Amino acid sequence: MQKVFDGHNDVLFRLWRRGREGFDPVSEFIDGSPTGHIDLPRSKAGGFAGGFCAIYIPSDDLRFAPPGPDGTYDTPLPKPLERAPSLDIAMEYMSIAARLERAGGWRICCSTREIEDAIKADAFAAVLHMEGCEAIGADLAALDVFYAAGLRSLGPVWSRTNIFGHGVPFSFPKSPDTGPGLTDAGKELVKACNRLGILVDLSHITEKGFWDVAGITDQPLVATHSNPHSLVPVARNLTDKQLAAIRESNGIVGLNFAVTMLRTDGRESADTPISDMVRHIDYLVDKLGIDGVAIGSDFDGALVPGEISDAAGMHKLVAGLRSAGYADTELDKICRGNWLRILRSAWHEQG
């Protein structure tokens, strides 16, 4: 079975919520759970070998706008979050990640060698990612601490505003050019990530923010979980101009499984065929080349196609790509190899 290393999931968010509901997040992951998309049994069943596991602080005031008669919607950005409670929640996520590693549920990986070793050992390879940096102050002192604890990837913003920059709303149809880009603090954050060897993710940021990062970073441009705007014009998707810049930097885009980002009508319906996912992969390969396309499922953070359902169904996407004509060497790149290439660069590894 083809092993898939994923560019984005929210399993830590789900486990954190389950912990607050009185369940043990460690056993939820290791023993399996009827909720969500990812746990160890389902991951093994589907060849889901691990991925970027997000530290995401939820917005209590997020209210998704209902679609109008023509299917359009425009969700307002939630208000900015306060630093102290965000840091507390981020530490709870980090605690779950550490407890899972101690219990043998997964391995926290800080190098591509560790990822490769985990996959060979049939262990879940977890890369800690921060989705929106509300837990980090402008002095960036917390960034050093999170890095020491294993953080190796971050997106400066989620779909809201913080001290580092501005995010795009969940809106359809809409351009990603929805507001300002990075703040001065955000520019310093990107520079610090370059120095430390932390991947910078461009998912959720405004188009102006995208170009701000492109003008500063020494890394390839990366969108861990986004799709082509030309196919589905939601604000979260990437324009052809952005895709061209990603290709020029030898960067990468991970296919997002969220149905609202896959369907031409932008609707939230699990009745979304795998052929829609293949169509997006085909488009990305055409714009980026085979070396610039990967998987960024958004499992446990979005409604995904019913044919996939959860991590156990990952092999169905691989089968769909193979049926569409992708060779095993190309599938190796899309499923794992391209992420390893990008991480070697972002993490300052040799070879």
Side-chain angles (χ1 to χ4, degrees):
M1 181 182 295
Q2 183 73 250
K3 295 292 185 71
V4 176
F5 183 80
D6 179 42
H8 184 86
N9 69 72
D10 286 292
V11 65
L12 282 172
F13 173 47
R14 180 173 62 82
L15 295 175
W16 172 77
R17 286 191 304 177
R18 292 287 283 173
R20 291 202 161 193
E21 294 167 359
F23 298 91
D24 175 19
V26 173
S27 64
E28 286 270 315
F29 183 83
I30 293 176
D31 298 332
S33 170
T35 68
H37 296 140
I38 300 174
D39 54 37
L40 202 53
R42 284 181 287 181
S43 295
K44 290 182 181 297
F48 190 86
F52 293 56
C53 300
I55 298 164
Y56 156 72
I57 314 303
S59 284
D60 292 338
D61 64 329
L62 177 63
R63 300 290 183 272
F64 287 99
D70 59 354
T72 64
Y73 57 88
D74 194 3
T75 300
L77 290 176
K79 66 183 180 181
L81 300 180
E82 295 182 9
R83 164 84 193 291
S86 298
L87 179 58
D88 287 344
I89 292 173
M91 294 300 291
E92 291 172 14
Y93 277 64
M94 295 293 286
S95 173
I96 293 170
R99 287 158 56 197
L100 274 169
E101 182 166 59
R102 288 198 300 270
W106 67 18
R107 297 184 188 178
I108 297 173
C109 298
C110 299
S111 71
T112 56
R113 173 60 65 86
E114 290 176 350
I115 294 172
E116 290 170 324
D117 288 348
I119 292 174
K120 288 176 183 176
D122 200 28
F124 191 99
V127 170
L128 297 183
H129 167 83
M130 186 168 284
E131 188 177 27
C133 292
E134 285 82 3
I136 297 173
D139 62 2
L140 303 182
L143 180 66
D144 289 319
V145 177
F146 279 112
Y147 179 82
L151 185 75
R152 290 298 183 273
S153 174
L154 64 77
V157 299
W158 184 67
S159 287
R160 60 187 166 226
T161 298
N162 63 23
I163 64 170
F164 300 112
H166 301 263
V168 294
F170 296 97
S171 300
F172 170 84
K174 196 160 193 167
S175 162
D177 187 13
T178 59
L182 292 178
T183 63
D184 288 342
K187 294 173 184 177
E188 292 305 313
L189 173 64
V190 173
K191 293 174 185 176
C193 288
N194 287 175
R195 289 193 300 270
L196 289 169
I198 297 174
L199 181 141
V200 178
D201 176 25
L202 295 164
S203 302
H204 286 284
I205 202 165
T206 61
E207 186 172 3
K208 286 185 174 67
F210 176 100
W211 296 117
D212 285 341
V213 173
I216 297 169
T217 189
D218 61 12
Q219 301 178 8
L221 300 179
V222 174
T224 61
H225 58 305
S226 296
N227 296 339
H229 191 270
S230 289
L231 295 186
V232 180
V234 296
R236 274 276 286 106
N237 281 344
L238 299 163
T239 67
D240 284 354
K241 185 177 179 181
Q242 289 174 299
L243 293 177
I246 292 170
R247 180 169 188 153
E248 180 66 22
S249 75
N250 294 315
I252 196 170
V253 175
L255 176 77
N256 194 317
F257 293 7
V259 295
T260 55
M261 296 172 67
L262 291 170
R263 298 173 58 93
T264 55
D265 61 9
R267 293 185 181 274
E268 189 168 30
S269 170
D271 186 19
T272 300
I274 288 176
S275 59
D276 278 359
M277 306 172 81
V278 174
R279 181 169 60 97
H280 281 261
I281 290 282
D282 287 344
Y283 192 92
L284 290 172
V285 169
D286 179 64
K287 295 298 182 182
L288 301 171
I290 194 66
D291 293 330
V293 183
I295 302 299
S297 71
D298 214 355
F299 276 152
D300 282 322
L303 180 67
V304 306
E307 289 184 66
I308 300 294
S309 183
D310 55 27
M314 181 62 80
H315 66 95
K316 296 178 182 178
L317 173 59
V318 176
L321 290 170
R322 184 174 283 114
S323 296
Y326 286 90
D328 285 343
T329 54
E330 294 171 318
L331 291 173
D332 288 344
K333 290 184 175 186
I334 293 171
C335 292
R336 292 181 313 285
N338 289 340
W339 276 129
L340 294 174
R341 174 183 68 81
I342 288 294
L343 291 175
R344 287 189 190 99
S345 177
W347 292 350
H348 304 158
E349 296 181 359
Q350 302 298 316

